[in-house]
């Protein structure tokens, strides 16, 4: 691999002159610039990103942590983030924590030690070291999707509570009165807000008396949704509708209903949350609450770039509104004779 010395020798200039041409740090005559650029092309010289970052104090790199790369919701967010980073001239380094607090702590430590310009983080819930590690990050940081109230940094997320209310109110408008909630982990702020929205909608319609018996916990995975739905269908009083707090669990719940011979939506209505691309290809296609994933990714990148470029110092929050998407997994309540 050619070095800067090889380029300087071929162009008959000093290595300092080559550096000025590559980094545009000082005036170089057109004739000399042409000779250097010609030598670079002929030798296939690639400037060292590390060396350039030491001079510019910028790596044009952003680090991102996600909890589960197999969850299509996070994959769709990452695509938006990566596209916007690329358009802004930044590379994205992606770290998958696999919902493992120890792995998350290790990656946060790596991010704090590497030369990156900013970080976008979707946190894993249970991590006693998370606050300390986040507070120790020396680069601009944006929390995405999952708020951590004790940390003073940028945040972009959907209005989870309002989205859950929209889902539950949709079921109520269809005549359902016994509406269960298949929720994610309560230690995640986003999950807790969705439960709160479900409870608020039930209370508003005078249906909150039995809510404690209609709340079921899972882990935001399709397997978790499948297993928990099996338990719901074996319960003494099966609900006529279930608000499932993410689409992956809802797809698992749909599979469990099919396996048990329970028809969706004729026997039980299901509505999810996220509107992942797979939701409209399920059978039946899932009614769901759409998160504006593309806008979330763009907002997160814009916020971290604002801080990197010094355009803003104070932390701020961007809360985006969800949308009700009605498909075929919800229907009007049909009392069994």
């Amino acid at each position: 691999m050619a070095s800067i010395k090889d380029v300087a020798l071929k162009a008959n200039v000093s290595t300092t002159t080559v550096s000025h041409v590559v980094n545009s740090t000082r005036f170089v005559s057109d004739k000399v610039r042409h000779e250097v650029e010609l030598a670079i092309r002929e030798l296939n010289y690639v400037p060292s990103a590390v060396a350039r970052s030491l001079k510019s104090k910028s790596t044009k790199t952003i680090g991102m942590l996600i909890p589960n790369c197999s969850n299509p919701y996070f994959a769709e967010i990452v695509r938006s983030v990566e596209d916007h980073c690329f358009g802004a001239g930044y590379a994205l380094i992606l770290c998958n924590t696999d919902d493992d607090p120890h792995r998350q702590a290790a990656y946060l430590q790596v991010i704090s030690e590497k030369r990156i310009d900013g970080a976008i983080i979707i946190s894993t819930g249970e991590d006693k070291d998370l606050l300390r590690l986040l507070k120790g990050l020396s680069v601009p940081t944006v929390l995405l999707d999952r708020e951590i109230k004790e940390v003073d940094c940028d945040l972009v997320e959907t209005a989870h509570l309002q989205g859950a209310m929209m889902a539950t109110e949709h079921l109520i408008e269809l005549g359902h009165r016994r509406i269960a909630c298949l929720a994610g982990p309560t230690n995640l702020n986003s999950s807790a807000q969705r439960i709160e929205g479900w409870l608020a909608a039930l209370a508003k319609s005078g249906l909150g008396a039995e809510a404690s018996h209609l709340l079921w916990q899972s882990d935001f995975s399709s397997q978790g949704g499948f297993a928990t739905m099996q338990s719901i269908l074996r319960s003494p009083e099966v609900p006529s509708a279930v608000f499932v707090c993410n689409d992956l669990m809802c797809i698992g719940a749909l599979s469990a209903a099919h396996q048990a011979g329970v028809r969706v939506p004729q026997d039980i209505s299901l509505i999810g949350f996220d509107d992942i691309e797979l939701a409209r290809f399920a059978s039946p296609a899932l009614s769901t609450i759409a998160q504006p994933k593309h806008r979330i990714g763009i907002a997160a990148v814009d916020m971290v770039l604002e801080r990197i470029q010094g355009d803003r110092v104070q932390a701020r929050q961007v809360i985006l509104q969800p949308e009700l998407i009605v498909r075929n997994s919800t229907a009007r309540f049909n009392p069994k004779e």
Side-chain angles (χ1 to χ4, degrees):
M1 183 179 293
S3 68
I4 192 171
K5 290 182 179 179
D6 297 326
V7 174
L9 185 62
K10 187 170 185 64
N12 197 28
V13 297
S14 68
T15 55
T16 302
T17 299
V18 175
S19 177
H20 288 322
V21 171
V22 169
N23 297 298
S24 299
T25 49
R26 187 176 297 175
F27 172 77
V28 177
S29 70
D30 291 341
K31 181 177 182 301
V32 172
R33 180 178 295 278
H34 174 74
E35 293 297 328
V36 171
E37 290 175 346
L38 183 62
I40 288 173
R41 287 195 297 272
E42 290 181 357
L43 295 173
N44 292 319
Y45 170 65
V46 179
S48 167
V50 173
R52 295 177 71 180
S53 70
L54 289 173
K55 292 181 179 180
S56 66
K57 296 184 179 180
S58 172
T59 61
K60 292 289 185 178
T61 303
I62 292 172
M64 184 175 185
L65 263 67
I66 62 170
N68 185 349
C69 64
S70 64
N71 185 332
Y73 167 71
F74 296 127
E76 291 172 34
I77 291 279
V78 168
R79 180 172 183 176
S80 175
V81 168
E82 195 277 333
D83 282 348
H84 202 46
C85 281
F86 184 81
Y90 282 75
L92 183 71
I93 295 177
L94 185 64
C95 302
N96 172 43
T97 65
D98 205 23
D99 283 312
D100 181 349
H102 299 295
R103 195 165 174 169
Q104 175 174 261
Y107 276 135
L108 283 171
Q109 188 65 40
V110 168
I111 281 181
S112 69
E113 294 172 354
K114 296 292 183 183
R115 290 184 57 82
I116 63 170
D117 296 342
I120 298 172
I121 295 172
I122 308 176
S123 68
T124 292
E126 294 186 10
D127 185 352
K128 64 181 186 303
D129 295 323
L130 180 59
L131 291 178
R132 176 181 58 81
L133 289 167
L134 286 176
K135 291 177 179 177
L137 290 179
S138 59
V139 296
T141 302
V142 175
L143 295 178
L144 193 155
D145 189 64
R146 299 176 177 180
E147 180 181 2
I148 302 173
K149 294 182 178 179
E150 297 87 349
V151 178
D152 183 30
C153 59
D154 291 340
L155 169 72
V156 56
E157 67 174 350
T158 302
H160 300 288
L161 187 150
Q162 286 81 358
M165 288 189 69
M166 291 165 63
T168 310
E169 287 169 352
H170 168 64
L171 297 173
I172 293 170
E173 288 169 2
L174 290 173
H176 295 280
R177 293 295 177 267
R178 188 172 176 80
I179 302 169
C181 176
L182 202 172
T186 53
N187 62 309
L188 291 176
N189 191 271
S190 57
S191 181
Q193 287 183 50
R194 293 176 197 181
I195 295 171
E196 187 180 350
W198 165 72
L199 288 170
L202 292 181
K204 183 180 177 181
S205 298
L207 302 174
E210 298 183 28
S212 61
H213 304 294
L214 294 170
L215 177 61
W216 299 78
Q217 301 291 147
S218 190
D219 61 358
F220 277 152
S221 70
S222 52
Q223 178 58 43
F226 179 85
T228 308
M229 188 64 180
Q230 287 182 317
S231 298
I232 292 173
L233 295 175
R234 288 194 298 263
S235 61
E237 293 187 58
V238 177
S240 66
V242 183
F243 164 47
V244 188
C245 287
N246 85 342
D247 285 346
L248 265 190
M249 289 195 300
C250 201
I251 289 171
L254 182 63
S255 178
H258 285 331
Q259 190 177 96
V262 176
R263 299 172 303 167
V264 178
Q266 294 91 336
D267 300 326
I268 191 168
S269 285
L270 300 177
I271 186 168
F273 200 110
D274 288 340
D275 193 30
I276 61 176
E277 188 174 355
L278 290 173
R280 62 193 177 98
F281 295 107
S283 182
L286 296 182
S287 294
T288 187
I289 299 298
Q291 297 205 60
K293 297 176 287 295
H294 183 64
R295 288 171 57 205
I296 288 172
I298 289 175
V301 176
D302 283 344
M303 291 170 79
V304 79
L305 291 180
E306 285 175 3
R307 300 290 288 272
I308 289 170
Q309 295 162 4
D311 296 333
R312 178 170 52 83
V313 176
Q314 295 299 318
R316 69 186 182 98
Q317 295 186 350
V318 172
I319 310 298
L320 300 173
Q321 292 304 307
E323 179 185 0
L324 172 66
I325 305 294
V326 179
R327 296 194 180 102
N328 301 326
S329 66
T330 53
R332 184 158 293 281
F333 174 59
N334 183 23
K336 296 178 182 178
E337 297 181 2

